[in-house]
Amino acid sequence: MPDTGSDIAAHGLIGDLRSAAMVAEDGAIDWFCPGRFDAPSAFAAILDRDKGGSWTIRPDDTVRRTQQFYLPDTAILATRFLTDAGVVEVHDFMPISQAHDPDHRQRIVRRVQVVRGTATVRTRVAVRPDYARAEAEVATVDGGLMITGDSTRLGLSATTDLEVDGNDVVSTFRLELGDTALFVLEVLAPEDELQPCVTDDTRTLFDTTSDFWRAWIHRSTYRGRWREPVNRSAITLKLLTHEPSGAIVAAATTSLPEEIGGERNWDYRYVWIRDAAFSLYALLALGFTDEAAAFMRWLSERLGEDADGGLGPLRVMYDIDGTPPVEEIELDHLSGYRDSRPVRVGNAAADQLQLDIYGEIIDSVYLFDKHGTGISHDAWADVQRVVDWVAENWDRADAGMWEIRGDVREHTTSRLMCWVALERAVRIARKRGLPGDLVTWSRVRDEIYERIHADSWNGEAFTQTVGGSALDAGVLLMPLVKFGSPVDPRFLSTLEAIEERLVTDSLVLRYDSDESPDGVAGDEGTFTLCSFWYVEALTRSGRLRDAEVAFEKMQTYANHVGLYAEQIGATGEQLGNFPQAFTHLSMISAAINLDRALG
């Protein structure tokens, strides 16, 4: 029987800069990986409603309507249940006392209160450790309950009575107007003891967490027309940041499908090098220099490594520790979101050659050198080594920026970003007077430029591959990365061709998978990242009214709390992993550049 759980978009996100939890509009936490983003899940009902595990809170009375919103300028999520007898409001958050807190404890706090009338409320905590491959054991301890299984160790305490129901914990309680019930689920190390839930302590956690988020977002320098969605995107990007390492994961989830019932389901809980330049640009453009510096340190460590093995000095993606993901496996015991199988853990794309990543990471170095503190001697030595490799390998066939799982090809966007790597390296060296093989770098840079114009131009548009005919929305990056003028006739002709074949009412396909098969069965939705690239292309080419309308249309596809998944389906549904950092980064960039153009 098809799963009928919450829509992908029917969620808000809470987090503590180490992991994150998805909270559905019906009050269920149906995704949470304790400890860190890529750890095995404790709640995964979004991937299997029956087996995955969740934490539900809901009034006993018939719920007429639910509402969900973030408390202003914070990552504290409020879910409201409107019944005939009253209104119940649940505040969900993961406490953060201060930045880089050495004594940080990972907790999910759920504060339940009645703001009108009365209510009987039920909650069930159904922990299913290790992606529901292990069984939870519940034991009574001083101050609450201990829930264990596999490597999971969680402590649950509350201001109401808790009961054990098999492998679950349940509670039913009645609240009058003004009453509050508190629940705290804490991730515990083997040596930790449960600390009972105390009302005053929880109030302090709420206040300090609210203060943290308000102080952080008020550092933003953005004062443009779209302040609310830009701020929400910035907070979302912050939620996807692993503060101890500085890494930014692509999304908080795995295996949310690009096509309902299809197999395009991937694990996005990793750090993509491709996101680097956009992350740095967005953080620096908004004035978040500390976060940019932390991410740059993480990226610099990857530059200092030498992965190779035929794939060059860098890998496409890493975990938050800087290690390539483990082997991709399929969790056959989980039904998948609305029967979209398989559910995958790990990502085999880590073993692909994707040449465009070199342009993104060198562009990151360039941006930080320009707007940050400048590049160090050791970092520049690593850059030279990487750029020398690019100069020798730029014309290889690869899987491309969209990570096709079919035959490798000579992708235009891969050559474009190799041009970026060489161009930025030359620019840094000349500006700083740094050593490097500028003669070779400049010669190869110019050769790539000429080859793109000669081999990837078909008389109408720049194509997806050398000598091909299929189009690719990735070439919209050309003016964004300064490859050419946004009003160059060739780019304007390409933009027109993309509008005719890949754009539908501001929504943009990455490519036509029928014309250009990617090795995976099924179809996908429009790619929201590309839709915001389209807005930027319109902006830079001077079509400001079209850009404004397209941008405003894209705002209507955000969910009820301003979040975006990876893709948007034909009827406006959000598809793919959620929320996706790259989408929010591109939205910030589009807003900033459109604001600047409008004056």
Side-chain angles (χ1 to χ4, degrees), residues 279-325:
S279 299
L280 263 295
Y281 175 81
L283 290 169
L284 290 168
L286 296 177
F288 295 116
T289 54
D290 291 346
E291 286 74 14
F295 193 30
M296 195 64 234
R297 283 193 297 272
W298 187 92
L299 289 170
S300 295
E301 291 172 2
R302 307 291 79 75
L303 280 170
E305 298 164 353
D306 193 3
D308 214 288
L311 298 177
L314 293 173
R315 289 293 179 267
V316 174
M317 72 188 79
Y318 299 86
D319 67 16
I320 54 181
D321 299 321
T323 304

Side-chain angles (χ1 to χ4, degrees), residues 249-272:
V249 298
T253 58
T254 180
S255 300
L256 295 183
E258 299 173 8
E259 179 187 29
I260 302 301
E263 63 181 60
R264 295 171 178 266
N265 318 317
W266 318 109
D267 192 347
Y268 274 19
R269 297 171 298 157
Y270 298 106
V271 188
W272 262 255

Side-chain angles (χ1 to χ4, degrees), residues 193-215:
E193 294 184 357
L194 175 65
Q195 298 186 23
C197 174
V198 178
T199 301
D200 288 345
D201 290 347
T202 306
R203 184 179 297 113
T204 300
L205 289 175
F206 180 91
D207 291 340
T208 56
T209 302
S210 177
D211 291 345
F212 170 86
W213 285 109
R214 287 175 176 273

Side-chain angles (χ1 to χ4, degrees), residues 34-57:
R36 49 189 274 166
F37 293 103
D38 56 354
S41 64
F43 301 134
I46 197 168
L47 296 178
D48 192 313
R49 198 178 179 203
D50 296 326
K51 298 177 184 176
S54 65
W55 182 357
T56 60
I57 291 180

Side-chain angles (χ1 to χ4, degrees), residues 65-83:
R65 179 179 299 177
T66 61
Q67 301 167 335
Q68 195 174 63
F69 63 96
Y70 283 108
L71 299 189
D73 291 341
T74 76
I76 298 174
L77 193 67
T79 305
R80 290 161 53 86
F81 301 90
L82 283 70
T83 73

Side-chain angles (χ1 to χ4, degrees), residues 450-483:
E450 297 296 343
R451 289 280 293 277
I452 288 175
H453 278 277
D455 301 339
S456 296
W457 171 255
N458 68 358
E460 176 196 17
F462 290 107
T463 56
Q464 183 182 51
T465 57
V466 170
S469 59
L471 297 182
D472 189 322
V475 301
L476 292 173
L477 284 170
M478 284 181 167
L480 278 64
V481 299
K482 313 298 185 186
F483 179 78

Side-chain angles (χ1 to χ4, degrees), residues 57 63 89 106 124 164 219 342 351-352 360 431 508 599:
I57 291 180
V63 176
E89 193 162 290
Q106 187 170 89
R124 177 176 290 271
V164 179
R219 287 167 42 203
D351 295 324
Q352 291 182 342
E360 277 102 13
K431 178 181 178 182
V508 183

Side-chain angles (χ1 to χ4, degrees), residues 104-175:
H104 180 77
R105 296 159 51 197
Q106 187 170 89
R107 290 163 285 190
I108 295 176
V109 177
R110 312 200 76 178
R111 185 171 76 174
V112 187
Q113 56 189 17
V114 169
V115 296
R116 178 176 65 78
T118 61
T120 298
V121 182
R122 295 181 183 271
T123 186
R124 177 176 290 271
V125 183
V127 173
R128 301 293 182 264
D130 189 27
Y131 305 111
R133 291 181 294 191
E135 188 171 282
E137 296 183 1
V138 185
T140 301
V141 296
D142 289 342
L145 298 171
M146 190 70 70
I147 306 171
T148 58
D150 190 61
S151 59
T152 299
R153 191 166 183 265
L154 304 171
L156 178 64
S157 61
T159 58
T160 67
D161 293 334
L162 300 173
E163 299 178 12
V164 179
D165 181 18
N167 302 118
D168 301 348
V169 180
V170 298
S171 180
T172 301
F173 50 96
R174 185 163 183 81
L175 298 176

